[in-house]
Amino acid sequence: MSDGDKSLQRASQHCAISVTAPRRQRWRLALASLVASTALLSADAAHACRDTLAPIVEGLMGSVVNIATSQTLKGPSGIPLPDVPKGSPFEEFFREFFDERQDKPSAGRKVNSLGSGFVIDESGLVVTNNHVIKEADEIQVVFTDGSKIKVDKVLGRDPKTDMALLKITPREDKPLTAVRFGDSAEMRVGDCVIAIGNPFGLGGTVTSGIISAKKRDINSGPYDEFIQTDASINKGNSGGPLFNLDGEVIGVNTAIISPTGGSIGIGFAVPSNTASNILNQLRDFGETRRGWLGVRIQSVSEEIAESLGLRRSRGALVADVTKDSPAEKAGLKAGDVILSFDGRDVENMRGLPRIVARTPIGKDVPVIVLRDGERETLTVRTARLTESRTVSANAGDDAEESMPETAAPQRTEVLGLVVRTLDEAARRTFGIADDVDGVLVAEVDTESVAARKGIQAGDVILEVTQKEVNGPADVVRRIEDVRKSGRKSALLLLAGRKGELRFIAVPFGPGE
């Protein structure tokens, strides 16, 4: 076979062209297909990440800085006593050694660390992560040309989103260049991004990748909704910017997942829409001022959704309402499912605290709830969240050892539970508060679904599918009504022995 035939065969195989066509036609089809494919790939690549990122990066490097911190550790010669087993021969040796050294004067041991940041205002406002500057005695901002400026003041910090805002005094001969925030909500999974930072102290390092996911919850706080990216992010990148291809900051690099400490392509950035809101508050007030609703909420599982007549699992289920809170004043009740807050859909439990926190304090907002199978709109005036107030709580997470059952003349069994009238003897036995009224769970079949759902002896059933119950007969009747309606589970509102409220959907068994 000639070289031309071999080339034709390779081209035909690559482009899925039939080799049964005439040779000249096959050449034309193969060449046309190759040209078209190359053009499409080039167009896609140019549209996605362009031919080079150099022009974008050149305009951004001056705004990205390294954050250098130092901290003095107090103690004898700055050296802590080693952790040795109690009673071991080494304990006495080390104790004598360190006690002897403690008598000698010492200035302590200085520890240095590095992170990243970026300038957002020419007047000298610099953004970084809170954990980068936490407990630092001295902070310096280091620019790409090696020049350094000491931080005048930490204007504010927010540990919940890990954001911090610094103030420096620019030099007259070297004006600062600031970057602007973009709209992180407009970014799509698959969009190209650029990360610039100070990994491992190398400084001025550029990496690129795509947005791998949005609204990631990594259980680092109540307001998690990170942008996930595969752009290489390592130790020292914390506090640095994540740019879109317009040179706008759409995220602040904050965390990575890595078993080795280096990048494996799973990095997380605080979205710019979240960061800019927090930074504006830190600039104006020196602290964050978040909205507060005053409810304890829990997730709407598929079983709970079915028991309430919801088509799918969505919203935040109100387990309890704080006394004198905005929620109580607006008429919110335990059992309500919050579907929308201030015009924004509540897709899940963790979404509600984020929406409420961003709502201006004192604003009257519409809240759509599902109550008794019907939608209602309430108006809530948000208050300010303080540290003493609970943002949200997943009701029913505390598991305790079951208490002994209490004696009662009547024994009623339903859904694997033995329920009895709540009397004074039961209150004393289980430590149930006087203001809790309902039906006592005296026993739980350990093999039942109810037991697997976490229901325990000593719990008090307050409602069955959002209807109050006052005695065992009410519980049986309500569960029977729910079963006849065709639903697959009964939704119980229970009070635990600590007084905490939680909803649990208990599916019906074959014989129930």
Side-chain angles (χ1 to χ4, degrees):
M1 183 181 294
S2 67
D3 292 340
D5 288 336
K6 291 178 180 177
S7 299
L8 174 60
Q9 186 180 43
R10 287 194 297 269
S12 300
Q13 291 170 348
H14 178 76
C15 301
I17 303 298
S18 172
V19 293
T20 59
R23 176 175 295 186
R24 183 172 296 179
Q25 182 182 356
R26 281 183 279 153
W27 270 105
R28 290 173 179 169
L29 289 172
L31 289 172
S33 181
L34 282 171
V35 170
S37 299
T38 303
L40 285 172
L41 288 171
S42 299
D44 288 343
H47 177 70
C49 290
R50 304 181 182 178
D51 294 333
T52 176
L53 299 174
I56 304 172
V57 172
E58 287 171 357
L60 300 174
M61 291 294 287
S63 303
V64 183
V65 299
N66 300 339
I67 305 295
T69 67
S70 63
Q71 176 188 359
T72 302
L73 299 182
K74 308 297 182 182
S77 301
I79 306 173
L81 178 69
D83 184 16
V84 294
K86 290 287 184 183
S88 71
F90 294 103
E91 182 183 18
E92 184 178 353
F93 169 78
F94 280 118
R95 181 69 61 188
E96 291 178 356
F97 175 77
F98 278 88
D99 286 345
E100 179 183 344
R101 292 182 63 89
Q102 193 168 8
D103 295 333
K104 300 178 181 180
S106 171
R109 179 169 58 96
K110 281 208 168 188
V111 176
N112 299 314
S113 62
L114 296 171
S116 302
F118 55 98
V119 179
I120 60 168
D121 192 278
E122 290 85 352
S123 65
L125 298 184
V126 178
V127 176
T128 188
N129 280 148
N130 178 58
H131 78 260
V132 170
I133 61 164
K134 186 178 180 181
E135 299 178 357
D137 298 322
E138 183 179 293
I139 309 171
Q140 284 191 326
V141 173
V142 185
F143 294 85
T144 52
D145 62 0
S147 60
K148 302 177 181 179
I149 300 179
K150 187 177 179 179
V151 170
D152 300 325
K153 182 181 180 181
V154 177
L155 293 179
R157 60 181 80 204
D158 180 43
K160 289 185 173 65
T161 56
D162 201 13
M163 300 301 303
L165 184 62
L166 314 177
K167 178 67 173 72
I168 62 174
T169 301
R171 295 177 180 174
E172 293 183 1
D173 60 339
K174 188 181 182 234
L176 301 179
T177 303
V179 290
R180 65 184 184 276
F181 282 108
D183 187 351
S184 55
E186 292 185 354
M187 301 301 293
R188 302 170 301 169
V189 174
D191 282 346
C192 289
V193 289
I194 305 168
I196 304 178
N198 183 28
F200 301 108
L202 294 173
T205 299
V206 181
T207 58
S208 67
I210 63 169
I211 292 179
S212 306
K214 296 178 66 178
K215 297 184 178 180
R216 280 292 195 221
D217 180 0
I218 61 174
N219 294 314
S220 68
Y223 308 115
D224 282 14
E225 54 174 351
F226 290 101
I227 293 174
Q228 181 182 329
T229 178
D230 67 348
S232 184
I233 296 174
N234 292 282
K235 292 180 179 180
N237 273 107
S238 291
L242 188 69
F243 292 103
N244 61 19
L245 294 188
D246 292 325
E248 298 170 327
V249 178
I250 52 89
V252 181
N253 299 320
T254 299
I256 62 173
I257 289 180
S258 172
T260 62
S263 174
I264 59 170
I266 304 178
F268 301 97
V270 177
S272 59
N273 290 2
T274 298
S276 59
N277 179 48
I278 295 298
L279 293 167
N280 287 338
Q281 295 183 45
L282 296 180
R283 179 196 61 203
D284 296 339
F285 311 115
E287 61 183 359
T288 53
R289 298 185 176 182
R290 293 185 170 94
W292 178 60
L293 180 59
V295 291
R296 293 182 69 249
I297 55 177
Q298 67 180 80
S299 297
V300 179
S301 65
E302 292 184 2
E303 291 172 344
I304 290 177
E306 193 276 335
S307 68
L308 293 174
L310 282 170
R311 294 180 182 177
R312 62 182 178 88
S313 173
R314 60 177 295 227
L317 178 61
V318 177
D320 196 9
V321 178
T322 304
K323 188 177 181 180
D324 296 327
S325 66
E328 184 186 58
K329 294 174 183 177
L332 276 163
K333 300 178 181 179
D336 289 342
V337 178
I338 300 176
L339 303 175
S340 173
F341 189 92
D342 198 17
R344 299 181 62 184
D345 290 340
V346 179
E347 288 299 322
N348 51 52
M349 179 196 73
R350 291 188 65 87
L352 180 62
R354 291 194 291 262
I355 298 173
V356 175
R358 293 176 185 168
T359 306
I361 299 166
K363 180 181 179 181
D364 291 330
V365 300
V367 181
I368 299 176
V369 302
L370 182 72
R371 178 182 294 174
D372 295 330
E374 301 291 334
R375 291 192 177 206
E376 293 187 22
T377 300
L378 307 174
T379 300
V380 174
R381 175 168 292 183
T382 56
R384 183 181 174 186
L385 175 68
T386 61
E387 289 300 319
S388 61
R389 291 169 173 169
T390 302
V391 178
S392 67
N394 210 357
D397 284 346
D398 295 331
E400 302 178 15
E401 185 180 355
S402 296
M403 297 285 287
E405 67 178 83
T406 181
Q410 182 182 3
R411 180 185 178 92
T412 303
E413 297 186 25
V414 62
L415 296 179
L417 307 173
V418 175
V419 293
R420 290 175 176 163
T421 302
L422 180 58
D423 55 20
E424 291 305 317
R427 290 185 188 278
R428 289 194 300 270
T429 301
F430 292 101
I432 300 170
D434 292 338
D435 60 351
V436 175
D437 293 312
V439 180
L440 175 71
V441 176
E443 300 178 36
V444 182
D445 182 352
T446 57
E447 301 298 323
S448 66
V449 176
R452 293 197 295 273
K453 290 286 185 177
I455 299 178
Q456 307 171 54
D459 287 343
V460 177
I461 302 174
L462 307 179
E463 296 179 1
V464 177
T465 315
Q466 299 180 304
K467 298 293 183 183
E468 289 186 3
V469 290
N470 299 308
D474 290 344
V475 175
V476 175
R477 183 167 54 252
R478 283 294 304 150
I479 289 176
E480 181 63 18
D481 290 343
V482 174
R483 188 185 64 79
K484 288 180 179 179
S485 71
R487 294 184 180 176
K488 299 178 181 179
S489 59
L491 183 66
L492 308 183
L493 173 61
L494 300 111
R497 276 170 278 162
K498 293 181 180 178
E500 76 281 3
L501 303 182
R502 67 192 190 279
F503 283 94
I504 294 181
V506 183
F508 297 119
E512 295 170 323

